[in-house]
Amino acid sequence: MNVLQEIVNDILIITINRPQVRNAIDRPTAEHLSQAFRKFDADENLKVAILTGADGNFCAGADLLAIAEDGHRKNKLNPNIQDDGPLGPTRMLLSKPVIAAISGYAVAGGLELACWCDIRMADRSAKFGVFCRRFGVPLIDGGTQRLPRLIGLSRALDLIITGREIDAQEAYQFGLVNYLIDGDVKQEALALAQKIASFPQNCLRSDRMCVYRGFNMSLIDAMEMEFAKGTDVIRSGETLDGARKFAATKDKKNFK
């Protein structure tokens, strides 16, 4: 299987499993990734997903051998933005968070996949870059849009124009990597996912979606949306439940 799935309680771990090509993605792999994330988003029992790669690499992007063959493995190019991206889920806006657990190469389309995730966690073996610059392969899975939003225009243009490699430490300094890990990145991602899954989910998902929906709105429109979504959460009863739980806790300084 080129995409593996493992459920740990209410966490789904999705692993790109093509280590012979550093987990590069051909069309069948992209389709399997899309199917896995759609299933995750629709499953009420699953709260957080982790995306990672097998055998020490996250993803090397689109499989250039498949593109060169021009056969059934060539990545799908559909101009309808509502359809899947060439690498699969990169056009989706899920209702739940996804953590990227990154070792080794996260380059070209693999960098775009990492940028699609909500949170990026990397160990010190991780390497990032727009390596597709060397082969005339454009960023068409959101890279030119998400990367500047994450790290700023100046740094994004540097990486996009030069195609240079940056290590995990520099990526962390840029803010591309949220958590720099010395140990097992998959286990650390699982621990973070379990913490996120322990929070009241209606409120968490509403606040997360407000960030995405409001990013390109005017401030006043975004504030109005935030208030409307927030009051929906309050009316759901989740906020009152949380307030009562806090009120009943004796050790409020260490309340979790």
Side-chain angles (χ1 to χ4, degrees), residues 145 149 210-219 221-222 225:
Q145 302 307 303
R149 286 166 165 79
C210 281
V211 173
Y212 282 117
R213 295 294 189 194
F215 197 84
N216 289 318
M217 290 182 178
S218 69
L219 179 60
D221 288 343
M225 177 194 64

Side-chain angles (χ1 to χ4, degrees), residues 62-81:
D63 187 340
L64 297 187
L65 295 177
I67 293 174
E69 290 172 5
D70 200 22
H72 73 282
R73 294 197 309 115
K74 186 174 182 179
N75 298 74
K76 185 177 181 180
L77 299 175
N78 194 319
N80 181 359
I81 204 66

Side-chain angles (χ1 to χ4, degrees), residues 36-255:
F37 279 108
R38 282 198 179 89
K39 183 178 178 181
F40 159 71
D41 210 39
D43 191 330
E44 295 181 359
N45 296 315
L46 297 174
K47 296 179 179 177
V48 183
I50 296 169
L51 177 61
T52 192
D55 290 1
N57 285 297
F58 181 72
C59 175
D63 187 340
L64 297 187
L65 295 177
I67 293 174
E69 290 172 5
D70 200 22
H72 73 282
R73 294 197 309 115
K74 186 174 182 179
N75 298 74
K76 185 177 181 180
L77 299 175
N78 194 319
N80 181 359
I81 204 66
Q82 303 303 319
D83 199 0
D84 291 343
L87 297 184
T90 51
R91 295 175 181 174
M92 296 180 186
L93 178 55
L94 304 182
S95 64
K96 310 172 191 177
V98 180
I99 300 171
I102 302 167
S103 296
Y105 285 98
V107 297
L111 175 60
E112 293 183 286
L113 265 179
C115 290
W116 171 74
C117 297
D118 297 277
I119 296 172
R120 283 150 297 282
M121 182 175 285
D123 65 26
R124 293 189 182 275
S125 73
K127 302 174 180 66
F128 303 86
V130 185
F131 284 16
C132 50
R133 180 59 53 242
R134 309 168 187 180
F135 305 105
V137 179
L139 297 171
I140 51 175
D141 280 271
T144 65
Q145 302 307 303
R146 291 192 177 104
L147 190 60
R149 286 166 165 79
L150 292 173
I151 65 174
L153 182 62
S154 178
R155 285 169 169 166
L157 283 173
D158 173 20
L159 296 183
I160 290 168
I161 291 170
T162 69
R164 72 181 181 92
E165 177 184 306
I166 61 172
D167 62 17
Q169 182 64 47
E170 189 171 6
Y172 179 69
Q173 292 170 345
F174 278 8
L176 177 59
V177 168
N178 303 98
Y179 298 86
L180 184 56
I181 304 302
D182 288 316
D184 186 327
V185 68
K186 181 178 173 181
Q187 289 304 310
E188 292 289 342
L190 182 58
L192 179 61
Q194 289 170 333
K195 180 178 181 181
I196 293 169
S198 73
F199 296 142
Q201 291 296 296
N202 188 21
C203 183
L204 183 149
R205 293 175 192 174
S206 177
D207 284 352
R208 171 186 173 275
M209 191 59 70
C210 281
V211 173
Y212 282 117
R213 295 294 189 194
F215 197 84
N216 289 318
M217 290 182 178
S218 69
L219 179 60
I220 189 64
D221 288 343
M223 294 277 288
E224 288 177 353
M225 177 194 64
E226 176 192 74
F227 184 79
K229 296 293 186 183
T231 51
D232 286 344
V233 172
I234 293 169
R235 282 192 291 268
S236 75
E238 193 174 77
T239 303
L240 181 58
D241 289 342
R244 286 171 172 168
K245 184 177 180 181
F246 178 78
T249 302
K250 293 181 180 180
D251 187 6
K252 291 181 172 56
K253 289 184 179 180
N254 295 313
F255 179 79

